[in-house]
Amino acid sequence: MNRDKLKQLLEGVKDGSTDIDAALNSLKDLPYKELGFAKIDNHREIRTGYPEVIFGEGKTAEQVGEIVEFLLSKENNVLVTRVTPEMFTEVHSLCSDAVYHEAARCITIRRREPVYPDTNIAVVTAGTSDLPVAEEAVVTAEILDNKVSRIVDVGVAGIHRLFDQLDEIRQARVVIVIAGMEGALPSVVGGLVDKPVIAVPTSVGYGANFGGLSALLGMLTSCASGISVVNINNGFGAGYLASMINKL
């Protein structure tokens, strides 16, 4: 249940079009639904504006399926991150219009018509190897009703490729920049645009990359202003934050 639906329900009780018992029935799963292995936070969208997202990693396919089935009963859009093919098979058996985003390792199900802001989000990657993290950010932002443009493979080893894309990047309300190796690209972009930059370090790189730690530290110590940094490989976190900024 979101704020608009709650408001409609309360107005219905006020004007007599909804009786109290029906209203109580609509609210029976607030603030959360107990499933035994999980407590589904039905109050989250009222508090934050976005429904709960399912983190698939560590869950069984059956657990993911049961959570998705409950969320669908509430007519929510559904996003499941870090999924396996087995999880998608389980979800698809419950919902034939579920979409598996293989590169992003995500499942989405849309139950509400999107309402897009006029502005958009740009997702910029340093290399092709960063695309799985980028796609997680894109899928997240899109299911949260944002228009997204992709600018791929414009890392600092060939900086002229970035300059060719600057006009498109500068048109965005917020820019997500994703890079592995030494993580230099967000600093470069941050020095060229007047929009907030969300930096995402990835674990792409050789030994001294330390699984993304070198990129993370490079981004945290950037001398460019207006950059925030999320965790290593956290495309979801970047897409979610970018959506919040894009809708301010």
Side-chain angles (χ1 to χ4, degrees):
M1 177 173 289
N2 59 31
R3 295 173 186 174
D4 289 339
K5 287 188 175 180
L6 180 58
K7 185 176 180 180
Q8 290 172 6
L9 180 64
L10 295 174
E11 287 176 345
V13 173
K14 181 180 178 181
D15 64 25
S17 61
T18 302
D19 64 46
I20 292 176
D21 287 339
L24 287 172
N25 188 60
S26 298
L27 298 172
K28 66 181 180 181
D29 290 321
L30 292 178
Y32 65 87
K33 175 68 173 179
E34 177 63 69
L35 295 182
F37 61 88
K39 294 175 174 62
I40 311 303
D41 185 1
N42 296 308
H43 202 258
R44 188 170 303 183
E45 188 169 8
I46 296 172
R47 299 193 314 270
T48 69
Y50 296 111
E52 184 169 7
V53 174
I54 305 167
F55 182 72
E57 193 171 305
K59 295 180 176 67
T60 67
E62 291 75 18
Q63 287 171 338
V64 170
E66 192 169 341
I67 295 170
V68 168
E69 188 173 26
F70 176 77
L71 291 176
L72 288 175
S73 73
K74 302 300 181 182
E75 292 298 313
N76 283 325
N77 288 343
V78 175
L79 170 61
V80 192
T81 66
R82 303 300 172 95
V83 302
T84 63
E86 292 75 20
M87 290 175 184
F88 176 67
T89 298
E90 178 71 21
V91 171
H92 193 259
S93 70
L94 300 168
C95 177
S96 62
D97 59 337
V99 178
Y100 180 39
H101 306 269
E102 184 174 3
R105 294 169 58 198
C106 292
I107 298 169
T108 57
I109 304 169
R110 185 171 286 281
R111 282 291 177 267
R112 302 175 187 170
E113 286 297 317
V115 180
Y116 297 113
D118 294 332
T119 52
N120 75 296
I121 297 167
V123 177
V124 182
T125 63
T128 304
S129 297
D130 300 310
L131 279 175
V133 178
E135 285 302 306
E136 185 180 64
V138 169
V139 168
T140 299
E142 288 182 336
I143 196 65
L144 297 177
D145 294 352
N146 297 275
K147 293 174 286 186
V148 181
S149 58
R150 295 172 172 86
I151 296 93
V152 302
D153 197 23
V154 292
V156 297
I159 198 68
H160 55 292
R161 301 172 298 178
L162 174 67
F163 297 150
D164 287 342
Q165 306 298 320
L166 273 179
D167 287 344
E168 183 176 0
I169 295 170
R170 285 169 171 162
Q171 290 172 9
R173 177 76 179 276
V174 55
V175 185
I176 298 172
V177 184
I178 301 166
M181 303 289 186
E182 81 292 350
L185 186 60
S187 292
V188 176
V189 174
L192 293 170
V193 302
D194 61 352
K195 308 295 170 52
V197 172
I198 302 170
V200 188
T202 74
S203 53
V204 172
Y206 296 102
N209 173 261
F210 294 111
L213 185 59
S214 64
L216 173 64
L217 294 177
M219 294 173 185
L220 286 171
T221 56
S222 173
C223 63
S225 302
I227 295 177
S228 62
V229 186
V230 298
N231 206 349
I232 298 167
N233 295 332
N234 189 9
F236 163 74
Y240 191 103
L241 178 58
S243 177
M244 296 182 74
I245 295 171
N246 193 38
K247 295 181 179 182
L248 287 174

